Amino acid sequence: MKKIMVNGPIISNSEQWIYDYFDIEATSPKTVTSQLVDGEDIDININSGGGDVFAGSEIYTALKSHNGNVNVTITGIAASAASVIAMAGHTVKISPTAQIMIHNVSSGASGDYRDLAHQSEVIKNYNKSISASYEAKTGLEQSEILELMNKETWLTAVEAKEKGFADEILFADESVRLVASMPTTAIPQAVINKMLNSKATPTEPVSVALNAGQLKEIVAEAVSDLKKEFLNSGKTAIENNQTEEPKTKRFYF
């Protein structure tokens, strides 16, 4: 049975090469769908704090549509978008030291009160869309799921099984001796944007080893450049009496 790892932040396909460049774990739709073979049973191992809503939805949909058994094992954390992916499993197993976290979708908005009110409604609707994955797995009512999301609910293995988010707790007959956790490593969005807009995009992934100091310098330089670009573009816009709305809105989960 093929094993597919869903580790690190959930990101879009367009950002995958940047994480590959820095040799940082991340999961995009293509890293999962490229491994699916029609009719083949698969094991999905999840340890992710979540990320991009749309990428998570795409992975969930691909797994639910897969012609073969999908077995999910939560080894560390399945939070936010990663918890949605977990719900695609025909069988969901969770380590006794692992957790599932569900909460509301978040995003950014700018403009007057009408724009902000509109964005609020968009996010509320997307919460309902996301809740469908939890409803289908647990059998709970939408109202109960939305309330759990409102509270940002962290579920232990026992609680996840009791509420139907998981079907089985691993090592149920064994004693647990050690629990450890590690935060998800995500590249700052300023660096993502800088590299996506760079003309020096590599044609194929490059793996490089960087120590913490070197990565800190790269991030600082990218943020500094972005600040200068922002200030210069803002000055030009003011002088020309021009403003421009963002072309896309990002949704994080």
Side-chain angles (χ1 to χ4, degrees):
M1 187 178 295
K2 179 177 291 182
K3 181 176 291 185
I4 299 176
M5 310 302 291
V6 176
N7 291 344
I10 308 302
I11 60 174
S12 66
N13 288 331
S14 63
E15 295 177 354
Q16 184 67 57
W17 70 269
I18 301 174
Y19 283 81
D20 292 341
Y21 185 88
F22 288 110
D23 198 23
I24 296 175
E25 278 188 327
T27 303
S28 62
K30 70 178 180 181
T31 62
V32 175
T33 58
S34 63
Q35 300 183 67
L36 299 179
V37 177
D38 187 51
E40 184 177 58
D41 294 344
I42 54 173
D43 277 330
I44 304 292
N45 276 29
I46 299 178
N47 184 20
S48 169
D52 187 276
V53 168
F54 303 118
S57 178
E58 185 175 348
I59 295 171
Y60 170 82
T61 303
L63 294 178
K64 287 291 287 184
S65 303
H66 180 61
N67 182 24
N69 288 323
V70 177
N71 302 305
V72 169
T73 300
I74 302 170
T75 60
I77 181 71
S80 303
S83 69
V84 171
I85 295 171
M87 298 301 99
H90 293 105
T91 301
V92 178
K93 301 178 182 179
I94 184 170
S95 170
T97 60
Q99 286 202 341
I100 294 175
M101 188 274 276
I102 66 173
H103 66 167
N104 290 332
V105 175
S106 63
S107 181
S110 62
D112 62 20
Y113 70 94
R114 295 166 300 176
D115 299 313
L116 299 179
H118 173 71
Q119 186 71 349
S120 176
E121 291 305 313
V122 170
I123 293 175
K124 287 179 181 178
N125 275 334
Y126 217 92
N127 284 338
K128 293 178 182 179
S129 296
I130 290 299
S131 73
S133 66
Y134 304 135
E135 294 168 44
K137 179 63 181 175
T138 66
L140 297 175
E141 295 293 330
Q142 183 184 81
S143 58
E144 185 174 354
I145 292 292
L146 291 176
E147 183 59 26
L148 291 173
M149 293 171 67
N150 278 331
K151 293 178 180 178
E152 185 179 296
T153 301
W154 293 77
L155 299 166
T156 64
V158 172
E159 291 168 338
K161 184 179 179 183
E162 287 177 348
K163 291 186 177 297
F165 289 88
D167 303 298
E168 180 182 333
I169 300 175
L170 297 173
F171 326 123
D173 297 328
E174 302 176 20
S175 60
V176 179
R177 298 181 180 179
L178 180 66
V179 178
S181 63
M182 180 176 293
T184 299
T185 301
I187 297 175
Q189 192 58 45
V191 178
I192 294 288
N193 293 340
K194 182 71 175 177
M195 297 191 74
L196 286 175
N197 294 327
S198 171
K199 296 180 180 179
T201 302
T203 55
E204 52 185 61
V206 180
S207 178
V208 295
L210 295 172
N211 60 40
Q214 290 173 316
L215 182 57
K216 184 177 180 180
E217 289 178 5
I218 291 173
V219 171
E221 182 180 354
V223 171
S224 177
D225 289 345
L226 284 167
K227 286 181 179 178
K228 291 177 182 177
E229 291 175 10
F230 176 78
L231 291 173
N232 290 334
S233 62
K235 181 180 179 182
T236 301
I238 292 172
E239 290 173 349
N240 297 330
N241 194 27
Q242 296 175 342
T243 57
E244 182 179 350
E245 290 293 326
K247 294 181 180 179
T248 59
K249 289 186 173 68
R250 299 180 67 88
F251 292 83
Y252 297 97
F253 186 54

